[in-house]
């Protein structure tokens, strides 16, 4: 009876141990205390009388410890209700929540090129904007920020280029590139980026603008611009364009109409009736590009091409190529499409150029210092350095006499102009026009170059009224001294620097003052 009871208790203990290791420990502890009322005392006393030798005792103790460790390891883990009160001995006692969180934004290396093909690699966060990248390059290279620095997307395999808007995410632009495409990001000035906000009369000629609703009286270019930014009304841009037929090399002249919903073309002359209008392209999932070599790359009838390209990577077959008759027409179409695509965002970029996401803002520079930089860039001041302290010469007569007395001796008249950023040495007329167009057809954009037809003369190339004009700088000799002139000797200059500085302050025989020089910067 005792044996069966003991066996029953042992069986119950083993069953409980299988169900719960904690119950097994409790059962084992009860048996270890020797609860003798239900167990026979004889065997227990004999076991105490017959003690094993010391070595065997140590071995049994080691086995018991090993078995106990195994039992503990087999216990299920119980979740801690207060994890913040516990910490590993190998970690800091302070909670990580007490420290500022590290910047979790992923970073990526991008490569930016300048016009002389020098490049610079930048490690930027994933949410950096085009304006942030420009600001970073301006600060690293110590350039003066006049809001004209721009990031361009260049696609050499199809000969296209576009301005990346200041608010666009650069990494998103790069994500649309194909793996085998050798596309590049260029950093240079674009004076015409927001020029339509300042002088809209140059961008919207009357013969290309009409209105969907009747208007009372004439509408100024400023009102046209306001209509583009409004969501309720909009002007229509219309005119003939050459369109490349899909899958063919031929081009066809068609009448196009630009509305807020997209670009349409008429299947019957210049008719604007809905039944004669056919949809050509929309703006939401595509970008507008300017063609750099339309005649050579795509067989276009003129060099004033532009096209719609889908955002996602695609081949030349996905391009919708168009071509205008003149630069003013192309500028009007491209500007209107930018305004319809981005609307008020463009105006915010123009009014608040320092708003960015990544913290690369020139707001870290003192506003007073920035104002001084801009003032120094846009004005020329006569200074007197002869005394212990420098002073500004405010009297024009005194300034002129000082200049004559010194004779501008600090300049080397033959070669000093070669170090100026506006001088471009031996470039062709076509290359000069390309540089000016790239940096914006704004009144007063200019450069000086060597004349190809006459090696002893120079040429001043400048932009005015959306056109590029060239003026020959002729050398004149008087009493054994050489001078430079633009007006047959009526106004003479000892060197090209003096000539450029004069026409930056005075219009003279030019259509406007010289304002912005074309420069090839190095990164």
């Amino acid at each position: 009876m005792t044996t069966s009871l003991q066996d029953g208790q042992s069986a119950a203990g083993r069953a409980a141990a299988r169900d719960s290791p904690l119950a097994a420990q409790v059962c084992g502890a009860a048996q270890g205390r020797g609860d003798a009322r239900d167990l026979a005392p004889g065997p227990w006393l004999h076991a105490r009388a017959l003690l094993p030798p010391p070595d065997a005792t140590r071995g049994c103790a080691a086995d018991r410890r090993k078995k106990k460790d195994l039992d503990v390891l087999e216990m299920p883990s119980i979740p801690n209700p207060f994890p913040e009160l516990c910490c590993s001995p190998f970690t800091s006692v302070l909670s990580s929540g007490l420290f500022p969180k590290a910047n979790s934004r992923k970073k990526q290396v991008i490569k930016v090129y300048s016009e002389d093909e020098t490049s610079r690699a930048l490690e930027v966060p994933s949410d950096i904007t085009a304006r942030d990248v420009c600001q970073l390059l301006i600060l690293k290279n110590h350039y003066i920020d006049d809001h004209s620095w721009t990031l361009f997307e260049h696609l050499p395999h199809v000969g296209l280029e576009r301005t990346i808007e200041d608010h666009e995410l650069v990494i998103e632009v790069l994500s649309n590139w194909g793996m085998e495409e050798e596309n590049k990001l260029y950093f240079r000035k674009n004076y015409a980026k927001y020029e339509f906000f300042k002088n809209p009369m140059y961008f919207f000629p009357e013969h290309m603008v009409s209105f969907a609703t009747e208007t009372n009286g004439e509408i100024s270019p400023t009102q046209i611009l306001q209509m583009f930014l409004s969501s309720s009304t909009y002007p229509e841009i219309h005119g003939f364009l050459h369109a490349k037929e899909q899958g063919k090399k031929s081009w066809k002249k068609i009448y196009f109409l630009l509305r807020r919903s997209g670009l349409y073309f008429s299947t019957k002359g210049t008719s604007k009736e809905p039944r004669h209008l056919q949809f050509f392209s929309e703006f939401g999932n595509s970008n507008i590009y300017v063609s750099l070599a339309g005649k050579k790359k795509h067989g276009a009838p003129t060099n004033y091409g532009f096209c719609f390209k889908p955002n996602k990577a695609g081949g030349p077959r996905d391009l919708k190529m168009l071509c205008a008759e003149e630069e003013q027409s192309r500028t009007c179409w491209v500007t209107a499409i930018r305004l319809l695509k981005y609307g008020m965002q463009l105006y915010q970029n123009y009014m608040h150029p320092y708003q960015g996401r990544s913290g690369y803002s020139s707001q870290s520079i003192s506003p007073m210092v920035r104002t001084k930089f801009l003032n120094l860039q846009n004005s020329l001041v006569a200074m007197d350095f002869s005394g212990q302290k420098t002073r500004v010469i405010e009297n024009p007569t005194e300034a002129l006499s000082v200049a004559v007395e010194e004779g501008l001796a600090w300049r080397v008249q033959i070669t000093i102009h070669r170090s100026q950023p506006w001088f471009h040495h031996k470039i062709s007329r076509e290359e000069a026009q390309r540089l000016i167009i790239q940096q914006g057809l704004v009144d007063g954009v200019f450069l000086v170059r060597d004349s190809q037809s006459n090696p002893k003369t120079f040429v001043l190339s400048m932009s005015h009224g959306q056109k590029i004009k060239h003026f020959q700088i002729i050398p004149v000799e008087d009493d054994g001294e050489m001078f430079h002139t633009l007006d047959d000797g009526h106004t003479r200059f000892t060197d090209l620097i003096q000539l450029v500085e004069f026409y930056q302050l005075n219009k003279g025989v030019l259509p406007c003052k010289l304002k912005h020089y074309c420069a090839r910067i190095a990164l």
Side-chain angles (χ1 to χ4, degrees), residues 12-31:
R14 286 192 298 271
R18 285 194 303 268
D19 296 335
S20 173
L22 188 61
Q25 288 185 349
V26 174
C27 181
Q31 292 179 359

Side-chain angles (χ1 to χ4, degrees), residues 478-494:
D478 186 11
D479 294 335
E481 296 186 18
M482 293 298 297
F483 297 92
H484 301 280
T485 182
L486 279 172
D487 54 5
D488 297 328
H490 295 289
T491 310
R492 301 177 183 182
F493 306 95
T494 57

Side-chain angles (χ1 to χ4, degrees), residues 22 28 105 153 159-160 173 182 245 277-278 382 437 503 509:
L22 188 61
R105 293 183 298 175
E153 180 186 7
L160 300 177
V173 175
E182 298 181 353
E245 299 186 68
L277 294 181
Q278 189 168 339
I437 290 174
Y503 286 107
V509 295

Side-chain angles (χ1 to χ4, degrees), residues 178-209:
M179 294 295 293
E180 298 180 356
E181 296 176 356
E182 298 181 353
N183 302 336
K184 294 180 180 179
L185 294 176
Y186 276 92
F187 173 68
R188 64 170 181 265
K189 287 195 172 187
N190 180 17
Y191 298 106
K193 181 166 59 172
Y194 299 124
E195 185 67 15
F196 50 85
F197 287 119
K198 305 173 186 177
N199 299 302
M201 70 286 297
Y202 295 142
F203 291 83
F204 305 109
E206 294 182 2
H207 67 278
M208 293 185 62
V209 182

Side-chain angles (χ1 to χ4, degrees), residues 119-134:
S119 62
R120 185 158 190 167
L122 301 172
E123 186 180 22
V124 298
S126 58
D127 62 345
I128 193 168
T129 63
R131 177 61 194 170
D132 291 332
V133 173
C134 292

Side-chain angles (χ1 to χ4, degrees), residues 218-449:
E218 294 184 359
I219 296 182
S220 65
T222 303
Q223 291 175 315
I224 295 174
L225 188 60
Q226 292 174 353
M227 288 182 179
F228 274 113
L229 300 177
S230 173
S231 58
S232 58
T233 60
Y234 63 92
E236 294 180 345
I237 306 298
H238 57 86
F240 281 96
L241 291 171
H242 299 274
K244 187 177 182 182
E245 299 186 68
Q246 203 73 12
K248 299 181 181 178
K249 294 183 178 181
S250 58
W251 292 72
K252 188 176 181 181
K253 194 173 183 178
I254 309 174
Y255 185 79
F256 279 85
L257 185 69
L258 180 64
R259 291 178 175 174
R260 192 173 293 278
S261 57
L263 183 64
Y264 300 83
F265 66 92
S266 177
T267 58
K268 186 178 181 181
T270 59
S271 174
K272 296 182 182 180
E273 295 184 19
R275 59 194 181 99
H276 295 150
L277 294 181
Q278 189 168 339
F279 182 77
F280 183 78
S281 180
E282 50 86 30
F283 319 130
N285 298 318
S286 59
N287 288 314
I288 185 74
Y289 289 78
V290 171
S291 178
L292 301 179
K295 283 187 174 182
K296 183 178 180 181
K297 285 277 187 180
H298 307 284
T302 71
N303 281 324
Y304 308 111
F306 61 98
C307 82
F308 290 92
K309 180 182 179 298
N311 292 338
K312 298 300 179 182
R317 290 181 175 273
D318 297 328
L319 303 178
K320 296 184 177 181
M321 305 291 300
L322 297 168
C323 184
E325 293 287 349
E326 57 182 0
E327 181 61 41
Q328 187 182 30
S329 175
R330 176 173 71 172
T331 302
C332 179
W333 285 103
V334 173
T335 303
I337 292 169
R338 287 177 62 199
L339 284 167
L340 291 177
K341 179 178 174 66
Y342 299 109
M344 282 300 296
Q345 181 64 59
L346 281 186
Y347 187 70
Q348 293 175 5
N349 295 347
Y350 166 65
M351 293 300 295
H352 307 286
Y354 294 115
Q355 288 185 353
R357 298 191 183 192
S358 305
Y360 298 113
S361 172
S362 65
Q363 293 296 335
S364 57
I365 305 175
S366 169
M368 184 179 296
V369 174
R370 191 184 309 116
T371 303
K372 288 181 179 179
F373 281 159
L374 295 179
N375 288 342
L376 285 175
Q377 184 192 25
N378 296 324
S379 63
L380 298 173
V381 180
M383 303 290 294
D384 180 13
F385 298 96
S386 59
Q388 293 181 353
K389 294 183 179 180
T390 59
R391 67 183 182 91
V392 177
I393 303 176
E394 298 180 355
N395 189 342
T397 305
E398 183 185 1
L400 181 60
S401 63
V402 169
V404 172
E405 289 175 3
E406 291 183 355
L408 304 176
W410 61 275
R411 296 171 175 170
V412 181
Q413 297 184 11
I414 299 176
T415 60
I416 188 63
H417 58 266
R418 297 185 185 277
S419 63
Q420 300 303 307
W422 39 258
F423 187 75
H424 290 262
H425 198 35
K426 296 180 179 179
I427 64 172
S428 63
R429 183 189 184 98
E430 292 74 20
E431 180 69 10
Q433 293 184 166
R434 186 188 67 82
L435 285 175
I436 294 176
I437 290 174
Q438 280 187 348
Q439 300 198 13
L441 288 177
V442 176
D443 287 357
V445 176
F446 74 97
L447 60 84
V448 180
R449 57 186 175 89

